[in-house]
Amino acid sequence: MNLRLAETHPEDYPTTLGDKRFAELVGERSDGRINVEVFAGAQLGEEASVIEQVQTGAIEMTRVSSSPMSEFTQNMGVFSLPFIFDDSEHMWRFLEGGDGQALLDGLGDSGFKGLTYFDPGARSFYNTGDPVSAVEDLQGLKFRIQQSDISVAFMEALGISPTPMDYGEVYSGLQSGLIDGAENNPPSYFSASHYEVAQNYTLDEHTRVPEVLIMNQAAWDQLDDADKELIQTAATDATPFQRERWNGQVEEDMNALREAGINIVSVDDISLWKDAVEPVIEQFEGDYGAVLDQIRAAS
Ligand code: GTR
């Protein structure tokens, strides 16, 4: 059995290493009968297109961000709301608890089997031109965002002009001046070389958008119980490895960014940023109130 797994990041990126660990465990535990083939570096397409292909079954598996997933399964959108987690521990308490797992299971309604979450770190803004340390500095700037309606609302609340765009187009967008900035965690900002063309990195840590490992639901349904168990356990067991690699990579990349002379900017007063986006949380309280309460309860 051959299962193709699409991954947008390069070979040595922590999510790709998590995918490969998963593939290795599946291979070992099935004595090579089930082969998970990892296609790194967006070889099978950009995330929005890959998710669609996993939904139809053209590709069996992918590791993606829950942000573009929200266009296919609304519940995942909650993670694109800003400042909902206090820190990484809070996020993991929620994800590993019953409510986080229920959210992953809910992907079944949209044709996906959710296997596990991977660590996404925290996303922060980066831009060309003058550094950003306060909400006023963001006014009117054009920033690339992930494909999600919630991100549009949240960026607008900060005064940004949001431009949804594929990840693979961000570098040239920054270079040509089509956009003034984007936002991501340190390993993405570094590995995609965006730091070369946008040299201010503002550590506002506005979102933690979990990565998800998913499979086409019909392909999952065709597996017998023993193989389902084998694949699920391999995904669960690959997760601590991915999290460990993640933490190491963030540290390494922050050092590399400092060495490259990147202007790492701290925020003047983060409570003002939170105040600015509060109306967005209220706006989405109708759709996500129940899960927001669960997230608050895990704080
Ligand atoms: C990264 C994430 C990718 C992709 C990218 C983006 O942090 O790991 O899956 O979603 O962000 O901004 O498009």
Side-chain angles (χ1 to χ4, degrees):
M1 191 189 311
N2 200 48
L3 303 171
R4 282 161 308 157
L5 191 165
E7 166 64 61
T8 203
H9 289 299
E11 297 288 350
D12 56 352
Y13 191 93
T15 54
T16 317
L17 297 177
D19 304 336
K20 288 183 183 169
R21 179 79 185 139
F22 163 69
E24 192 180 281
L25 292 174
V26 170
E28 271 168 30
R29 293 174 185 177
S30 69
D31 292 325
R33 188 173 46 82
I34 309 177
N35 178 38
V36 176
E37 200 178 350
V38 177
F39 291 88
Q43 286 173 68
L44 302 184
E46 294 285 341
E47 286 190 343
S49 134
V50 160
I51 297 170
E52 208 173 304
Q53 294 183 70
V54 171
Q55 195 177 38
T56 61
I59 300 173
E60 292 79 20
M61 310 183 93
T62 185
R63 190 294 311 161
V64 283
S65 165
S66 49
S67 174
M69 278 301 286
S70 67
E71 300 295 295
F72 297 80
T73 179
Q74 197 215 1
N75 286 344
M76 284 281 133
V78 71
F79 298 125
S80 297
L81 288 169
F83 305 115
I84 59 171
F85 293 116
D86 303 335
D87 50 26
S88 174
E89 287 72 34
H90 179 194
M91 179 194 71
W92 277 110
R93 263 197 307 280
F94 172 75
L95 297 180
E96 290 188 319
D99 297 325
Q101 291 304 305
L103 212 56
L104 197 58
D105 291 343
L107 291 176
D109 299 341
S110 317
F112 304 104
K113 167 67 189 171
L115 288 168
T116 194
Y117 293 110
F118 278 167
D119 205 315
R123 298 177 76 96
S124 290
F125 289 112
Y126 46 88
N127 71 308
T128 59
D130 294 334
V132 167
S133 59
V135 175
E136 296 85 83
D137 304 328
L138 290 168
Q139 301 314 298
L141 295 184
K142 210 167 164 187
F143 273 46
R144 177 270 176 173
I145 58 162
Q146 290 177 292
Q147 278 105 330
S148 128
D149 289 347
I150 292 172
S151 300
V152 172
F154 138 54
M155 298 293 166
E156 283 175 347
L158 287 173
I160 291 167
S161 163
T163 310
M165 192 186 276
D166 281 331
Y167 186 52
E169 283 165 23
V170 178
Y171 186 95
S172 63
L174 289 165
Q175 197 177 34
S176 68
L178 179 68
I179 46 173
D180 301 306
E183 44 85 55
N184 223 314
N185 50 47
S188 290
Y189 175 51
F190 186 72
S191 68
S193 303
H194 296 170
Y195 71 99
E196 292 173 4
V197 281
Q199 303 196 334
N200 304 303
Y201 192 40
T202 302
L203 295 179
D204 66 294
E205 305 201 328
H206 48 264
T207 46
R208 295 179 184 272
V209 186
E211 314 285 10
V212 284
L213 183 63
I214 57 171
M215 181 168 179
N216 169 265
Q217 180 73 50
W220 171 262
D221 289 340
Q222 278 163 21
L223 298 171
D224 65 26
D225 286 351
D227 283 350
K228 281 182 182 159
E229 165 83 15
L230 189 154
I231 289 178
Q232 178 59 70
T233 312
T236 307
D237 292 350
T239 305
F241 173 84
Q242 188 276 338
R243 286 177 62 180
E244 200 188 304
R245 284 303 310 137
W246 181 263
N247 291 330
Q249 195 69 49
V250 169
E251 213 180 300
E252 228 174 87
D253 291 346
M254 284 303 294
N255 286 337
L257 290 168
R258 282 188 197 98
E259 268 164 38
I262 293 308
N263 186 13
I264 297 175
V265 185
S266 50
V267 168
D268 290 342
D269 181 357
I270 200 68
S271 71
L272 298 175
W273 296 58
K274 293 182 181 172
D275 290 349
V277 299
E278 193 49 39
V280 180
I281 306 280
E282 280 161 26
Q283 179 188 339
F284 287 99
E285 198 73 41
D287 291 331
Y288 296 110
V291 63
L292 283 171
D293 283 343
Q294 294 164 354
I295 289 174
R296 290 177 192 123
S299 170

